[in-house]
Amino acid sequence: MMDAYRSILNGSTGYRCTGSFTSCNNWKQDLEKSKPDVVLMDIEMTGINGIKATGLIKKEFPEIRILIQTVFEDDAKIFESLCAGANGYILKNTSPLKMLEAITDVQNGGVAFNPAIAAKVARLFQQFIVPMVTVPDYQLSNREKEILQLLTEGIPMPRIAEKIFLSYHTVRDHVKNIYQKLHVASATEAVSKALKEKLV
């Protein structure tokens, strides 16, 4: 499967596999050597598992985007992955085209979920995160609220732009404003906060 992913990436315009590794035991050295923009992370590996490695990578290299790709679709692993800082979560039965789209989405600052995973994420946050009694007024505009709502549905920024008839750059600027107003640094944190505080 690793060979197949490497071939897909290297055979697709705009993508390049800078490294592939069978474990996360030497994650820091591997990342310093391969210098990726996006890490396609499995969960079940010998030694350090993918969820723990995600948390370690995010602390050391916060600029690296991490897309979990796994066979697991149980609630606990999804929740743990997002809490560790994953920028997306897709299943291994995802088509090569959708996988490439997901990689692009997380690299561009969005989040990437399979539709079934997006529904699970929304339900998990609603079920396990207690809303704050008093929600601050973040002074989000109607357009920013609309975009934030679409982010919580797992829709990446390029598709949001198409859906609401704005340019990608305009949507990206709105998302940056949302991050600033919510005091967050990523789409995952923005979605978490929006669901936790019922902002949308």
Side-chain angles (χ1 to χ4, degrees):
M1 188 167 282
M2 182 184 291
D3 290 339
Y5 290 154
R6 189 165 48 236
S7 297
I8 291 168
L9 290 166
N10 289 331
S12 303
T13 303
Y15 301 85
R16 183 167 65 90
C17 178
T18 61
S20 56
F21 310 97
T22 57
S23 82
C24 294
N25 292 339
N26 298 310
W27 62 271
K28 188 172 182 180
Q29 299 93 310
D30 292 339
L31 291 177
E32 288 174 343
K33 180 172 64 176
S34 57
K35 295 181 171 58
D37 297 310
V38 177
V39 170
L40 193 60
M41 177 72 76
D42 198 357
I43 287 181
E44 200 69 26
M45 288 179 284
T46 56
I48 300 174
N49 69 37
I51 296 174
K52 183 175 180 181
T54 295
L56 293 170
I57 292 169
K58 280 296 184 178
K59 287 180 181 177
E60 186 73 22
F61 305 102
E63 73 283 359
I64 292 180
R65 314 290 290 174
I66 299 179
L67 176 62
I68 302 287
Q69 185 173 35
T70 180
V71 296
F72 298 107
E73 51 183 310
D74 58 284
D75 292 354
K77 284 189 169 56
I78 296 169
F79 193 75
E80 289 170 12
S81 297
L82 295 179
C83 289
N87 303 107
Y89 194 110
I90 61 174
L91 301 176
K92 284 189 176 178
N93 59 10
T94 301
S95 70
L97 177 60
K98 291 295 184 183
M99 181 188 77
L100 293 175
E101 288 179 356
I103 291 170
T104 299
D105 291 339
V106 298
Q107 183 181 11
N108 287 336
V111 291
F113 300 118
N114 296 106
I117 298 297
K120 283 176 176 283
V121 170
R123 189 181 69 250
L124 280 169
F125 278 111
Q126 291 164 359
Q127 181 178 354
F128 293 112
I129 298 183
V130 179
M132 294 175 61
V133 175
T134 302
V135 177
D137 181 7
Y138 294 107
Q139 298 183 332
L140 295 172
S141 68
N142 289 334
R143 179 65 84 183
E144 288 165 351
K145 288 179 181 178
E146 180 184 18
I147 291 172
L148 183 58
Q149 172 66 53
L150 294 171
L151 285 175
T152 65
E153 295 172 13
I155 302 175
M157 283 194 286
R159 245 79 69 205
I160 291 175
E162 294 173 5
K163 190 177 182 69
I164 62 178
F165 306 107
L166 292 177
S167 71
Y168 170 77
H169 296 292
T170 300
V171 170
R172 187 176 61 182
D173 288 341
H174 279 305
V175 170
K176 287 180 180 177
N177 289 336
I178 291 169
Y179 290 177
Q180 187 174 20
K181 290 180 179 180
L182 297 185
H183 308 293
V184 299
S186 69
T188 305
E189 291 179 29
V191 168
S192 174
K193 196 163 196 174
L195 294 171
K196 178 180 179 182
E197 301 184 12
K198 296 189 181 297
L199 301 180
V200 295

